[in-house]
Amino acid sequence: MNIVACVKQVPDTEAAIKVKPDGSGIEEAGIKWVMNPYDEFGVEEALKLKEKFGGDVTIVSVGPARALETIRTALAMGADKGIHINDPALEGADAYNIAAALAAAIKGIPHDIIFCGQRAIDDDAGQVGSVLAEFLGIPQVTFVTKLDVEGASIKVIRPIEGAQLLIQSSLPCVVTAQKGLNEPRYASLPGIMKAKKKPVDVKDAAGLGVTVAPKAKIAKTLPPPARPPGKIICGEEPAEKARELAKLLREEAKVI
Amino acid sequence: MAKGVWIVAEQRYGAYRKISFELVSAARKLADQLGEEVGAILLGSGIEGIAGELGKYGADKVYVADNALFEPYTTDAHAAAIAKLVKEQNPSILLLGASAQGKDLSSRLVGKLATGMATDCVDLKIADGKLISIRPMYAGKCNGEIVVSAFPQMASLRPNVFPAVEKPKTAEVVKFDPGLDPGQLKTKVLEVQKDTSGKVDLTEANVIVSGGRGMKGPEGYGILEELADVLGATVGASRAAVDAGWRPQKDQVGQTGKVVSPNLYIACGISGAIQHLAGMGSSKYIVAINKDPDAPIFARADYGIVDDLFKVVPELTKEVKKLLA
């Protein structure tokens, strides 16, 4: 089984995000970069399938030079090879263009299942997996928390509001991973050593035959809207504070 | 030229999801500013009868395709039908819900329509005839203003944020041929396993009572369940509580869990790690109950109580019961 896992390098979840004064983006200085947590679930699932069925796991990432660390992390976890798409024109590009570049790279390699995170925790757009599936002309199953391969198809669990769905899809297919799918492994020390020698192909848009033509842009980045200062409710006893809170929620906020 | 503000309505087995009305209302507001019409797309099986209802919120036209293949929802069937109609009719704006179904469908449409989209928006405005979509990024650590240069300009709207406002119109119902080819459908829903708890999903809840590390263990959540029952609320949890195995994954609120925007969010024993604040920052009112006066959650809360939650919460349940009696 040939598997592709797409990964993106993003700021760590604990990172404080500072907006540039001119609103052109965020300050990157001091940020710790990690693999997007949802992509980690994809890589882990890819490795589990490889262990079960054999085959190759290819990691594909679009990003600047530093994104290579994230590809190496996935290789250290056990993936076989990487494709690093590094092109300034794709920096901060919209989902359509990112997916076009990924599709161009993936078309050239055998693929039964392609994993993406359900979204990246930086821009939170959550579009690339589905647009990639469209470019490749294959089905998608998104927000997957369980996956089983059955012959030439897969069965997955996808939670929705108030229910979960058991969905069958033909292969090849794009699967977007949701938390709950698995527990990603840590890279072992021998894994890290081996990863250094695994092949990573570096490509740019032209090399992939892709012309970058923006469809959407972030015109401005702003700090989150300020909240008015809150009220600390004082009182002698918990009961007194609770009474005051209930009253405020009822009469001032009018939410109960 | 592209014209019209369109939405994709969401229904399950003939019952509208609330987001549909929020979408029509948001579209009405934009359309009035642009002097254009509101169009809605409704797909399902046996749903023609409910199409006109969208007029109540200001839809001018409802495009309906009734086909057994549309229920339950699959990406293949819905995306193909909608893309075909949108390409023919050429609306300038297309809005969907950032719901489980809407997220799956809208992102596929971005590919099919070769356009751009602002995901999970909390505000929309028009400037120089163009849509500007405001959306949280980095799970709410900052906001972005998105401009889509292709057509339709797509945006998905965060549930519970845009008010559903009645603005009655007599909507014209237009049937259209979705041109479905069953051979093109590669996915199939084999089973719908319904959650039998009877609780509203966190992403749709008006009130959430959430517990963190301060709950000390799974049994601590009993008092939160009691408060939630009285308030008609859904119980949520922080990542710490989920990772400790106290609560199921589906209850997690935060950057790697669900992003929620209820009217009231009651955080109990939650310190307010940036990861968590990111997931509930767009709640209308936030209450924090925590015995640590320095917990960062208090900086975000509208109302705070510094005390032992195990003493405060049962009292709060009693007080709310009295008020609602």
Side-chain angles (χ1 to χ4, degrees):
Chain A
M1 179 161 265
N2 293 298
I3 306 157
V4 175
C6 301
V7 300
K8 183 178 187 184
Q9 192 181 45
V10 298
D12 184 70
T13 52
E14 299 300 326
I17 297 296
K18 249 174 118 179
V19 175
K20 285 185 187 165
D22 66 354
S24 66
I26 62 153
E27 302 277 8
E28 293 203 353
I31 285 180
K32 184 186 164 205
W33 298 92
V34 299
M35 189 189 303
N36 176 40
Y38 294 109
D39 298 344
E40 273 186 358
F41 301 125
V43 172
E44 175 62 33
E45 201 66 15
L47 296 173
K48 280 168 68 179
L49 290 176
K50 180 191 163 173
E51 284 158 9
K52 204 165 166 187
F53 300 104
D56 252 359
V57 175
T58 306
I59 304 299
V60 187
S61 185
V62 178
R66 59 173 156 72
L68 180 61
E69 301 155 27
T70 292
I71 296 173
R72 292 276 176 219
T73 303
L75 296 176
M77 287 167 75
D80 300 287
K81 53 185 191 288
I83 300 175
H84 181 186
I85 305 169
N86 180 356
D87 194 314
L90 288 166
E91 274 293 289
D94 53 68
Y96 189 83
N97 284 285
I98 297 288
L102 290 171
I106 292 168
K107 265 178 189 159
I109 50 176
H111 52 267
D112 298 303
I113 301 182
I114 299 162
F115 287 101
C116 294
Q118 55 98 338
R119 70 168 198 268
I121 60 156
D122 51 1
D123 61 19
D124 288 328
Q127 302 174 27
V128 164
S130 303
V131 184
L132 172 60
E134 179 63 25
F135 271 112
L136 295 171
I138 60 177
Q140 70 190 53
V141 278
T142 60
F143 293 83
V144 168
T145 56
K146 189 171 187 293
L147 183 151
D148 287 302
V149 176
E150 287 184 14
S153 68
I154 52 170
K155 280 185 185 171
V156 304
I157 293 284
R158 161 177 160 79
I160 61 169
E161 299 89 355
Q164 48 179 15
L165 307 176
L166 176 65
I167 302 176
Q168 184 171 42
S169 173
S170 63
L171 294 178
C173 173
V174 169
V175 175
T176 79
Q178 169 67 318
K179 192 170 176 186
L181 182 60
N182 52 46
E183 282 293 327
R185 68 194 67 188
Y186 289 102
S188 65
L189 193 57
I192 293 168
M193 298 311 288
K194 266 194 237 162
K196 290 179 181 163
K197 295 197 191 94
K198 289 180 179 172
V200 177
D201 249 2
V202 182
K203 308 244 186 196
D204 60 10
L208 290 166
V210 171
T211 310
V212 181
K215 304 282 185 192
K217 65 167 188 201
I218 303 169
K220 209 168 185 186
T221 305
L222 304 159
R227 285 187 86 94
K231 231 182 241 180
I232 295 288
I233 296 164
C234 300
E236 292 297 316
E237 292 296 320
E240 191 186 336
K241 295 178 190 174
R243 196 175 315 129
E244 179 63 14
L245 174 61
K247 200 175 139 210
L248 285 167
L249 291 175
R250 177 80 165 182
E251 290 167 12
E252 193 176 83
K254 298 187 169 65
V255 285
I256 62 172
Chain B
M1 207 188 103
K3 213 173 164 102
V5 183
W6 280 32
I7 68 115
V8 177
E10 192 173 325
Q11 61 81 31
R12 277 191 212 160
Y13 301 102
Y16 279 114
R17 309 289 295 171
K18 191 168 136 239
I19 185 72
S20 300
F21 307 136
E22 297 170 10
L23 286 164
V24 176
S25 292
R28 184 71 263 165
K29 220 170 131 187
L30 298 175
D32 286 345
Q33 287 177 58
L34 291 163
E36 295 182 4
E37 287 201 332
V38 172
I41 306 174
L42 177 65
L43 306 182
S45 177
I47 39 85
E48 267 183 53
I50 63 166
E53 280 176 40
L54 295 176
K56 198 166 131 191
Y57 296 89
D60 296 295
K61 253 186 202 162
V62 183
Y63 294 86
V64 184
D66 207 313
N67 191 308
L69 291 171
F70 287 135
E71 196 81 66
Y73 165 85
T74 60
T75 325
D76 318 10
H78 283 237
I82 293 167
K84 180 176 176 270
L85 179 69
V86 167
K87 280 180 189 166
E88 283 165 12
Q89 299 289 329
N90 203 19
S92 81
I93 293 175
L94 181 63
L95 308 176
L96 288 94
S99 53
Q101 177 178 317
K103 283 178 185 170
D104 181 82
L105 175 60
S106 60
S107 52
R108 188 76 188 214
L109 287 171
V110 167
K112 282 200 185 293
L113 299 169
T115 186
M117 173 170 74
T119 305
D120 207 17
C121 299
V122 294
D123 200 5
L124 301 172
K125 55 187 184 188
I126 299 286
D128 300 328
K130 292 285 293 178
L131 177 67
I132 297 180
S133 306
I134 293 98
R135 56 179 303 262
M137 300 188 301
Y138 299 87
K141 293 175 194 172
C142 64
N143 273 358
E145 291 191 355
I146 312 298
V147 177
V148 177
S149 49
F151 288 99
Q153 305 163 80
M154 285 183 66
S156 67
L157 310 193
R158 180 174 292 186
N160 261 354
V161 170
F162 293 82
V165 185
E166 290 192 19
K167 208 167 175 194
K169 292 218 168 208
T170 308
E172 183 192 344
V173 176
V174 184
K175 286 192 221 174
F176 76 99
D177 172 17
L180 272 189
D181 170 5
Q184 294 288 312
L185 307 181
K186 308 281 187 201
T187 57
K188 195 177 173 190
V189 176
L190 301 176
E191 204 183 320
V192 179
Q193 303 161 352
K194 283 203 180 125
D195 175 5
T196 49
S197 71
K199 291 283 182 189
V200 180
D201 191 81
L202 281 171
T203 56
E204 297 181 315
N206 280 322
V207 183
I208 292 172
V209 179
S210 208
R213 210 188 293 272
M215 302 314 299
K216 294 181 179 160
E219 52 299 330
Y221 283 81
I223 56 169
L224 300 191
E225 300 278 5
E226 284 165 23
L227 176 59
D229 280 345
V230 175
L231 287 167
T234 303
V235 174
S238 70
R239 181 167 78 181
V242 169
D243 285 353
W246 302 348
R247 299 296 290 184
Q249 180 56 54
K250 69 176 175 62
D251 288 2
Q252 188 187 322
V253 173
Q255 192 167 14
T256 51
K258 285 179 176 162
V259 174
V260 299
S261 52
N263 287 330
L264 174 61
Y265 188 91
I266 304 179
C268 305
I270 290 177
S271 65
I274 193 160
Q275 217 274 118
H276 188 77
L277 296 175
M280 41 66 88
S282 63
S283 305
K284 286 183 193 79
Y285 282 91
I286 296 171
V287 170
I289 303 171
N290 199 307
K291 63 182 177 196
D292 173 10
D294 298 322
I297 188 80
F298 286 117
R300 283 291 189 97
D302 299 282
Y303 303 113
I305 292 182
V306 181
D307 209 326
D308 181 356
L309 74 94
F310 290 98
K311 289 183 181 145
V312 175
V313 172
E315 292 294 337
L316 183 59
T317 306
K318 264 192 239 166
E319 293 299 331
V320 173
K321 225 186 243 173
K322 265 192 243 165
L323 282 179
L324 298 181

